[in-house]
Amino acid sequence: MLELYGQKFSSRLLLGTALYPSPAIMADAVEAARNEIVTVSLRREAAGGRTGGKFWSLIQSLGVRVLPNTAGCHSVKEAVTTAQMAREVFATNWIKLEVIGNHDTLQPDVFGLVEAAGILSGDGFEVFPYTTDDLVVAERLLEAGCKLLMPWCAPIGSARGPQNVDALRSLRGHFPDVPLIVDAGIGRPSHAAAVMELGYDAVLLNTAVAKAGDPIAMAGAFAKAIEAGREAFLAGPLEPRDMAVPSTPVIGMAAFS
């Protein structure tokens, strides 16, 4: 079971709700993924106008836990204000905290992120920080009150997959008891399986499913890949070797003359 801030979940896949061809396809993708947590942007809800209420009703009908996010925020003040508004709109203390520092890479502003995380944690929020794979930043976020970490494996929406496996492995090794969720950069189910094999607890993605040729089928594929990656990690995958090792015993083989 996946445990996040005292809540337990069967699925280790978290899905975003943006960019889908239609709300109906988004809903079907969530069902196909069998996931229990979806992220929703306050900007998406607020910008929806008359359709915003319908979208929120659709999300509620899915029976999933909502994780509001501060997507698009570029300052501490903006992120904190957005989080406070999201708590009122979505009636939850959960917040996926994003403080973007670079317009091109959408890399987090880690200094602002730590500051905002401290403010929100002190205000009773349960913070899901979108961060880099830097160990020092991770330590600062935990000191700020975060109980989990959400490192990227590549820039948002890039679909590149894990770019620095050593850094991801190092994070897992340094924080064995902290829930780690890979967020951003996943493009294929094989990417998700790969990070789960490193011992990560879950994967959050959006674009890879929403912009797929068949979002519903892709959601199901990711769900299976994440389950397979988790099972492989628990089973203890064979580590890479420098030399070839025969799989058939040499001793006892028949000798022909």
Side-chain angles (χ1 to χ4, degrees):
M1 297 289 287
L2 174 65
E3 184 169 342
L4 306 174
Y5 285 107
Q7 302 296 313
K8 294 183 178 181
F9 303 92
S10 298
S11 173
R12 294 177 181 272
L13 170 60
L14 290 70
L15 270 184
T17 55
L19 304 177
Y20 289 85
S22 71
I25 291 177
M26 180 275 293
D28 288 343
V30 170
E31 293 185 4
R34 305 187 305 280
N35 71 301
E36 300 163 273
I37 302 172
V38 298
T39 62
V40 178
S41 170
L42 177 64
R43 292 173 183 269
R44 166 66 172 82
E45 177 71 7
R50 295 181 179 179
T51 64
K54 294 181 179 179
F55 179 80
W56 178 224
S57 296
L58 176 61
I59 294 295
Q60 291 177 306
S61 72
L62 296 175
V64 293
R65 180 70 184 254
V66 173
L67 173 60
N69 65 55
T70 62
C73 293
H74 291 262
S75 71
V76 172
K77 181 178 181 180
E78 187 180 12
V80 169
T81 300
T82 300
Q84 292 169 339
M85 293 173 63
R87 178 161 60 182
E88 296 298 320
V89 172
F90 300 110
T92 178
N93 286 327
W94 277 21
I95 191 70
K96 180 191 171 190
L97 179 61
E98 298 182 26
V99 183
I100 301 302
N102 184 278
H103 291 277
D104 295 325
T105 66
L106 300 181
Q107 179 171 329
D109 171 359
V110 294
F111 306 101
L113 180 67
V114 171
E115 182 181 348
I119 294 171
L120 292 174
S121 294
D123 193 28
F125 282 89
E126 295 175 323
V127 181
F128 292 62
Y130 162 60
T131 183
T132 62
D133 52 21
D134 186 277
L135 286 174
V136 176
V137 175
E139 290 174 349
R140 297 293 182 270
L141 287 168
L142 295 175
E143 292 170 359
C146 299
K147 303 299 182 184
L148 56 81
L149 300 168
M150 302 182 72
W152 70 350
C153 73
I156 293 174
S158 67
R160 296 178 186 173
Q163 298 294 285
N164 193 339
V165 174
D166 289 339
L168 292 174
R169 185 180 286 112
S170 181
L171 270 178
R172 180 71 286 174
H174 275 76
F175 306 107
D177 301 319
V178 176
L180 298 180
I181 303 172
V182 167
D183 176 20
I186 295 290
R188 299 175 181 273
S190 58
H191 297 160
V195 296
M196 293 300 292
E197 288 174 3
L198 296 176
Y200 276 70
D201 298 284
V203 170
L204 190 157
L205 53 89
N206 188 169
T207 309
V209 169
K211 302 299 288 184
D214 185 339
I216 299 169
M218 188 61 76
F222 268 107
K224 294 173 185 175
I226 289 170
E227 290 178 2
R230 178 65 180 178
E231 290 180 8
F233 168 71
L234 295 176
L238 186 66
E239 293 299 320
R241 302 171 177 176
D242 294 330
M243 300 292 291
V245 178
S247 58
T248 301
V250 177
I251 298 176
M253 291 180 63
F256 299 93
S257 58

